[in-house]
Amino acid sequence: MDFDSKKVLFVGDCNPNGYIYLRSQSIKRLVKKMDSIDINEYINSSDRLKYSLAYRFQLRLFLKNLNNAIINKINEDAYDLIWFDKPIFILEETLRIIYRMGIKTVSYNMDNPFGPRDDGCWNLYLQNIKNFTHHIISRRSDYKNLKNMNARDIIYIPFHYEKTLHFKEKNIKKELDITFIGTPHDNRIEFIDHLARDLETSIHVFSAEWRKFKKRLGSRSNVIINDSIYNSEYRSVINKSKIMLGFITQSNLDDLSNRSFEITACGSFLLSPRSPLQERIFRENIEAVYFDDIHDCVSKVDYFLANPEERENIATAGHKRSLELGINTDFVVKRVLLKIFK
């Protein structure tokens, strides 16, 4: 099936540095027409007090302009689907109006509204679960939780990479020994601190959020904290790294990580915590390497830094496997559209 006749309205954070924007562009490539509503135009994160009230309490006062914009848009054109990415600011009455107009709706959350991590933003979404015609999930645990809350059609897609952004660059020199890109969730601060204590090599961390916790890393001179990176710079750092740490977010109850697909798509060496699902995707010591605890991680970093040929063989095999699987944004978005418009 092709989607040349379908019109989609995309509602989400359209910051071009984010995953949500990349999904919107994939939809745009696949359908006849895609219009978008950027939530940032209505709920401005630069006004910290108002954004906090909207994010934490979903007060109607701060949400009405966004919801009115959605209603105005669907009255202007005949849409077949409204794709909501992390719909934490959508009022129940908006979804009811859309439903009465016979328009399909889909909700997708990369974060976990049911996990132990207290994001503090899910109350309105949880009340609205039954009002979406479709839900997309990327973790298996979400299925039971959604069903228990009377969700309708549930579509599973795995985490994935973006083929226009995550790829292997030519003639890249491996300049960075160990790299982690991402937030300091779970026990990552303690993990990196322990890793730095037991290793002499430099560990490069990329995320502005880590600066708030620099004191907890003590005087570790071999931990180099960098600002957040995006797009081509993000790809370049992965390509330049000898070993890429790919943590899996336990507080989200994740069993996979987007980063694992991005690292292998860029042709770099993936070192990740052991995960049964991930081991089925990337074979251990052939396409990726897994560790059981911090001591095992230290040992494997030492070994693979000292054995570059073996490390590069695994990175090459992981890259080949990633391309064979083809689990990229276009692939998963097309899978969703096929199920919705079957």
Side-chain angles (χ1 to χ4, degrees), residues 159-160 246-249 254-261 278:
F159 290 119
H160 45 276
F247 290 117
I248 296 171
T249 307
D254 290 347
D255 42 22
L256 276 178
S257 167
N258 252 16
R259 208 86 63 193
S260 300
F261 290 99
Q278 192 159 278

Side-chain angles (χ1 to χ4, degrees), residues 5-141:
S5 64
K6 303 301 181 185
K7 295 181 181 179
V8 176
L9 177 62
F10 183 90
V11 181
D13 180 349
C14 294
N15 182 332
N17 291 327
Y19 290 111
I20 293 175
Y21 174 78
L22 293 173
R23 269 191 295 282
S24 75
Q25 297 309 292
S26 179
I27 295 168
K28 191 173 185 178
R29 289 192 291 268
L30 291 168
V31 300
K32 176 183 179 180
K33 178 184 179 183
M34 188 211 76
D35 294 321
S36 61
I37 293 179
D38 183 0
I39 63 168
N40 296 309
E41 294 181 10
Y42 301 91
I43 302 171
N44 189 350
S45 59
S46 63
D47 187 330
R48 298 185 67 179
L49 177 59
K50 288 184 179 179
Y51 185 79
S52 179
L53 290 171
Y55 185 85
R56 291 283 175 182
F57 304 107
Q58 295 94 52
L59 297 178
R60 181 186 180 87
L61 172 67
F62 303 113
L63 310 185
K64 62 180 182 179
N65 288 342
L66 169 63
N67 284 265
N68 287 341
I70 295 168
I71 299 304
N72 290 338
K73 201 73 175 171
I74 62 176
N75 284 324
E76 291 172 3
D77 207 341
Y79 293 102
D80 301 286
L81 170 69
I82 304 182
W83 182 302
F84 291 98
D85 227 295
K86 197 171 183 178
I88 59 174
F89 300 126
I90 309 305
L91 298 171
E92 180 179 8
E93 64 198 63
T94 301
L95 292 169
R96 289 189 177 278
I97 291 169
I98 295 167
Y99 183 74
R100 287 198 296 268
M101 294 178 71
I103 305 171
K104 299 176 188 290
T105 53
V106 64
S107 160
Y108 181 41
N109 293 301
M110 284 190 71
D111 293 322
N112 189 354
F114 309 105
R117 192 175 80 197
D118 184 15
D119 290 337
C121 64
W122 298 111
N123 287 341
L124 185 58
Y125 166 75
L126 292 172
Q127 293 170 27
N128 282 333
I129 280 175
K130 63 183 181 297
N131 294 314
F132 295 96
T133 62
H134 300 77
H135 290 268
I136 306 169
I137 62 172
S138 288
R139 58 187 62 81
R140 293 170 296 177
S141 63

Side-chain angles (χ1 to χ4, degrees), residues 187 191 250 271-276 279 284 289-300:
N187 65 338
F191 194 100
Q250 298 170 346
L271 179 60
S272 177
R274 190 174 301 284
S275 155
E279 287 178 83
E284 184 172 16
V289 173
Y290 305 108
F291 58 83
D292 296 305
D293 53 35
I294 180 63
H295 305 290
D296 191 28
C297 183
V298 168
S299 174
K300 285 174 177 172

